[in-house]
Amino acid sequence: MSPPIIPGHSDNNLFRIVDHWVTTQPDALLFCFLDSGGAVLERLTYQQFADSVDRLSGHFLKTVNADRGARILLCYQPGLELICALFACNKAGFIGVPTLPLAVHQLHAWLYSIDHILEDSQADGIAMCSTTWKIFDACQPGTAEGRTIRDRLLALDPLITNEAGNAEISSHSCEPCDTFFLQYTSGSTTEPKGVMVSHNNLIANAKAVIDHACPVTVSWLPQQHDMGLIGYYINIVLSGGTTYGFSPNSFIKRPALWFETLTRYAATATSIPNFALDLCLDDRRVPRSSLKQFDLSSLRMLMVAAEPVIPDNFFAFLEKFRACGLKPESMVVAYGLAEFTLAVSNYGRRSISLNRDALDLGVVEPAEHSDSPAVARLMSCGRLLGDARMEIV
C-alpha cells in the first residue's frame, strides 16, 4: 500500500507535517519565485523554509506586544516572504490576516480595503516586507479620510520582517493557534468577510483536493486569496511538492510566461480563472505560431475556477492547446469558496444547454444548444470532494 499523500498526524497540526517533510527531504525544493522573464528571484528548500519560519516566529514573539491569538495584518508584495510570515505568525501564537498587495497607483483602494479588514478583524499588529513599507511610508493620501487610515496603521507600529533575515533561529516550543489564519472573502457581492481557517480545515481540504503525491505546480494566482494561497502554497507544504510562482502582473503582461514555466519544470498541476482563458485564446497574446515551444503533456490537472466558466472558452482553450500536448482528461472545472476553506467540487468537464426563462424560475428545462439569448449554456463544476454535502436552498 502506498503512503498517504498528506502524512497523517493525530493532532492535526500543520507544523508536524512540515517537520515530516523537513526530516525526509530537507534539500528538496519547496518554493521558487520567478520574475517576469522567468528568472529565479528567490527559492527555498524544505529546510530553508522551516528555518525561515522559525527565525521569523522568534522575531514576532520578541517584537509584537499582543496576547496569544491576536490578529496580525500581513501586507506583502508577491513573493515567498508572505508565506514564511503566515506560518511564522501562527507558530508564534498569533493569527495572520493576508491582505491585498500595495501598489502606488492603487493606494486609495488599498487603504480602504485595509481599513475595513483592520476594523473587522480587530487586528493588534501589522507586518510588512520592506518594499511595501517603502511605498506606504512615502504615500501621501489625497483625502482627510485616507490620511486618518494611514495614521491608524502607523499607530500599530508596523513590523518590517525583512529585518529578521539574520536573526538566530528560534528554539521556542511549537504552540500554534488552532486558527491558522483569517481568509477574507473577495467582497464581490458584499463587504469582505473574515473566515476562520483552522489547521484541521486546511488538512481536511487538502486531503480531499490533492490527487497525486509530491505535485509540481505553477501559480501566478494572487497570494492573498484562497485558490492561490491555499491551493499552491499551503497545500504544497502539506503534500511534499514544489511550487513555481510569479505575480499576477507578470502573467497579465505576458501570458506566455505561464506556458514557458509549465514546460520548463514539467508541471503536474496549475489553476486559472475564466478571464485567463480569454487572454490565452487571444492569438495576439499567445500566437499559434508559438505553440510548438510549449509542452503541456506533464499536466495531470489544469483547473479552471474562481469565476463563472464560459463553456465556449473552456472548449476553445482545450482545442487550441491540444497542439501542446494538453490532455482532455486533465482540464477540469472546480468550485470553491473561502467559507469552505477552498474546494467543494472538481472534475467538471461537460456543459449543458438550458432554457434561460425556465432557469430564472428555478426550473431545469433542457434546450438545444444555440447562440440564442433564450439559451443558457452552463459548465459542470464536477463532483463533490471528500465527505462534503451540498444543499441548494
Side-chain angles (χ1 to χ4, degrees):
M1 181 181 296
S2 60
I5 293 173
I6 310 296
H9 290 272
S10 59
D11 58 357
N12 282 323
N13 182 322
L14 265 68
F15 295 101
R16 306 281 184 243
I17 299 177
V18 173
D19 289 344
H20 166 85
W21 293 119
V22 170
T23 300
T24 57
Q25 52 178 36
D27 298 324
L29 181 63
L30 172 56
F31 298 131
C32 185
F33 207 80
L34 313 174
D35 68 13
S36 58
V40 175
L41 286 174
E42 46 186 338
R43 67 193 302 279
L44 290 172
T45 65
Y46 278 82
Q47 184 68 66
Q48 290 168 336
F49 173 72
D51 289 347
S52 180
V53 168
D54 284 345
R55 187 178 293 114
L56 198 48
S57 67
H59 193 51
F60 273 112
L61 281 171
K62 289 178 181 177
T63 55
V64 175
N65 184 23
D67 295 333
R68 177 178 170 80
R71 276 74 64 202
I72 309 295
L73 302 184
L74 302 177
C75 306
Y76 288 80
Q77 300 301 302
L80 302 184
E81 194 175 354
L82 168 63
I83 313 304
C84 294
L86 180 65
F87 276 77
C89 194
N90 186 260
K91 194 167 187 179
F94 305 124
I95 299 171
V97 188
T99 65
L100 185 75
L102 171 59
V104 175
H105 62 282
Q106 295 175 329
L107 173 62
H108 183 81
W110 184 83
L111 283 171
Y112 284 91
S113 170
I114 291 292
D115 192 51
H116 167 75
I117 293 174
L118 173 61
E119 182 177 355
D120 188 72
S121 68
Q122 295 296 293
D124 292 303
I126 181 170
M128 299 178 174
C129 62
S130 57
T131 302
T132 297
W133 168 249
K134 287 175 184 175
I135 298 172
F136 178 72
D137 188 44
C139 76
Q140 297 296 329
T143 66
E145 188 176 5
R147 291 189 289 274
T148 299
I149 296 171
R150 182 179 185 275
D151 291 343
R152 195 176 299 147
L153 293 174
L154 283 171
L156 293 176
D157 192 17
L159 169 65
I160 315 306
T161 54
N162 304 67
E163 297 170 358
N166 296 319
E168 291 184 5
I169 295 175
S170 171
S171 60
H172 72 274
S173 59
C174 179
E175 295 181 0
C177 282
D178 291 337
T179 298
F180 189 74
F181 75 114
L182 289 189
Q183 171 68 63
Y184 269 81
T185 59
S186 60
S188 54
T189 55
T190 61
E191 288 280 12
K193 296 180 175 64
V195 178
M196 295 182 291
V197 181
S198 70
H199 288 244
N200 191 44
N201 295 149
L202 290 164
I203 294 168
N205 204 249
K207 288 179 177 178
V209 171
I210 301 170
D211 66 350
H212 59 283
C214 299
V216 177
T217 72
V218 172
S219 176
W220 50 266
L221 300 171
Q223 292 177 303
Q224 79 277 7
H225 284 159
D226 51 1
M227 191 159 81
L229 177 59
I230 299 174
Y232 289 90
Y233 289 93
I234 295 176
N235 279 358
I236 296 308
V237 173
L238 300 182
S239 62
T242 302
T243 284
Y244 295 89
F246 49 93
S247 76
N249 284 342
S250 293
F251 169 77
I252 292 169
K253 289 177 181 176
R254 197 170 69 88
L257 174 61
W258 180 48
F259 295 102
E260 292 166 2
T261 309
L262 292 169
T263 300
R264 182 176 300 120
Y265 299 109
T268 61
T270 191
S271 296
I272 53 173
N274 183 81
F275 89 84
L277 298 178
D278 268 331
L279 279 182
C280 297
L281 287 170
D282 185 341
D283 287 340
R284 295 168 299 179
R285 307 297 297 274
V286 186
R288 290 182 184 270
S289 60
S290 69
L291 300 188
K292 60 182 179 294
Q293 305 172 27
F294 309 136
D295 181 1
L296 307 183
S297 62
S298 61
L299 280 175
R300 298 177 59 163
M301 182 178 294
L302 193 165
M303 179 193 295
V304 189
E307 298 172 345
V309 180
I310 299 173
D312 286 347
N313 284 358
F314 180 89
F315 294 110
F317 183 97
L318 180 57
E319 185 60 32
K320 178 175 179 177
F321 294 99
R322 267 178 138 160
C324 306
L326 177 61
K327 297 181 286 289
E329 61 269 24
S330 298
M331 191 168 171
V332 297
V333 174
Y335 172 76
L337 66 168
E339 294 88 339
F340 195 75
T341 304
L342 182 57
V344 173
S345 67
N346 198 3
Y347 306 109
R349 298 186 178 94
R350 299 181 298 116
S351 68
I352 187 171
S353 295
L354 301 175
N355 181 306
R356 188 181 297 276
D357 291 337
L359 191 62
D360 287 342
L361 297 173
V363 177
V364 176
E365 183 180 299
E368 291 293 324
H369 171 58
S370 74
D371 294 329
S372 167
V375 174
R377 193 177 179 205
L378 306 177
M379 276 302 298
S380 165
C381 289
R383 58 177 172 79
L384 290 175
L385 298 170
D387 58 0
R389 182 171 62 109
M390 180 180 288
E391 295 182 7
I392 300 174
V393 298

